[in-house]
Amino acid sequence: MDKDLVSNIFFSDNERYADIINGIGCEGIPFVKGEDLQELDARESLGRRKGYGRNRAVTGTKYRDLIRKTRFGVNFAIIGIENQEEIDYSLALRVMCYDAGKYESQAAEIRKRIRRDCKGLSTGEYLYGFKKDSRLFPTVTFVLYYGEEEWDGARDLHGLLDFTDIPESLRRKVSNYQLHIIEVRRLQDTGVFQTDVKQVFDFIRFSKDKDKLKELVETDQAYSRLEEDACDMLAAYVEEEEDMFKRMDKHKKDGRVNMCQGLREWMEDERMEGRIEGRIEGKAEMLIELLTEYGNVSEQLKGRIMKEKNEVLLHKWIKLAARVTSVEEFEREI
């Protein structure tokens, strides 16, 4: 399944979305609940309107991954989430345009309201559709980066600008725009999260260390009843362990997955495969050593023996090597 689709489904759950807002935006303090969130249109109109009536269209429309309006007391804020796996070196510009588009759409709604009731407006307020006390909701976007490479792109708009020979006095007057990038695989503390966002992020960041992964799953009981869409997130972003998630299918029940049992079985299978491979390799080496007693063993023959993974066939070859009188006879027989 497409990673963007999987991650969008996962974070479409408002409790998880609120967990990201609290954990990242509010430093772990639970200001927001899932019930406080309202879904907004993910389209951002960044161009001008053209045409009239049915032919009227907006150019430059872009689509965010996810966007929510959330209550903070009597006020609101608009929070976007972008899921990113590859490094986008122009990301600061893209996110700035997303947020600017959301500010512009808010301003457009204010203009509509003001022009419906235009009494008492100054000339400027009527002309521009914005009153002196009109205010926009704060807007911010959090970028969840899942890539294995450390983010080495710009983290603000200034990182994209060429300031060569630009005087410092002028440079200070060029407005900046900050990116908020969360490198999931390098998170130091996931204790700020209260939902299964913690389990998903922990599994992804420890996925390269099987010992830590085993310890993580066995000590956190939340993995024994992980939601299926959370398991889908892990399967999407821990691709190299595809066999592990295939084994999880038989441990699904009532929309949840027992990751603990599935991981134990997978690791036991891995150990068993390792033991079998070691035993096969040992038999191949024993056969080559036995043949060297008859004379020189060619690299071609050695290669063929070492590549053979059929343990039963290797056993037959060892018996054959004990009966023949030369390497050449052995090659003819096989």
Side-chain angles (χ1 to χ4, degrees), residues 90-102:
S90 66
L91 187 62
L93 186 61
R94 174 155 60 96
V95 170
M96 182 180 70
C97 289
Y98 285 155
D99 292 349
K102 189 53 65 183

Side-chain angles (χ1 to χ4, degrees), residues 133-184:
D133 60 354
S134 295
R135 294 293 182 270
L136 307 174
F137 298 130
T139 299
V140 64
T141 299
F142 297 128
V143 179
L144 303 179
Y145 170 62
Y146 302 93
E148 294 182 18
E149 296 179 24
E150 187 173 353
W151 184 274
D152 62 352
R155 291 179 179 268
D156 56 26
L157 179 62
H158 276 196
L160 297 181
L161 305 183
D162 185 355
F163 283 111
T164 304
D165 293 336
I166 303 298
E168 179 64 27
S169 54
L170 178 58
R171 178 175 175 169
R172 288 197 301 269
K173 294 176 178 62
V174 177
S175 297
N176 201 359
Y177 200 86
Q178 182 182 1
L179 272 180
H180 303 284
I181 299 174
I182 296 86
E183 297 191 57
V184 173

Side-chain angles (χ1 to χ4, degrees), residues 18 33 70 96 150 172 203 212 236 293 316:
K33 297 179 181 178
T70 182
M96 182 180 70
E150 187 173 353
R172 288 197 301 269
F203 198 98
K212 284 187 177 180
E293 295 181 7
K316 289 181 179 179

Side-chain angles (χ1 to χ4, degrees), residues 242-258:
E242 184 179 353
D243 288 345
M244 176 201 306
F245 294 101
K246 287 180 179 178
R247 287 169 171 80
M248 300 295 177
D249 286 342
K250 65 180 180 179
H251 298 291
K252 290 181 179 180
K253 185 179 180 181
D254 300 328
R256 294 179 179 270
V257 182
N258 188 336

Side-chain angles (χ1 to χ4, degrees), residues 194-207:
Q194 304 302 315
T195 66
D196 56 4
V197 168
K198 179 184 188 305
Q199 281 72 40
V200 167
F201 284 1
D202 278 344
F203 198 98
I204 292 173
R205 68 193 184 113
F206 290 133
S207 60

Side-chain angles (χ1 to χ4, degrees), residues 62-73:
K62 292 190 176 183
Y63 290 83
R64 288 175 172 267
D65 283 344
L66 296 156
I67 184 78
R68 296 287 187 274
K69 180 179 177 182
T70 182
R71 181 186 300 277
F72 285 90

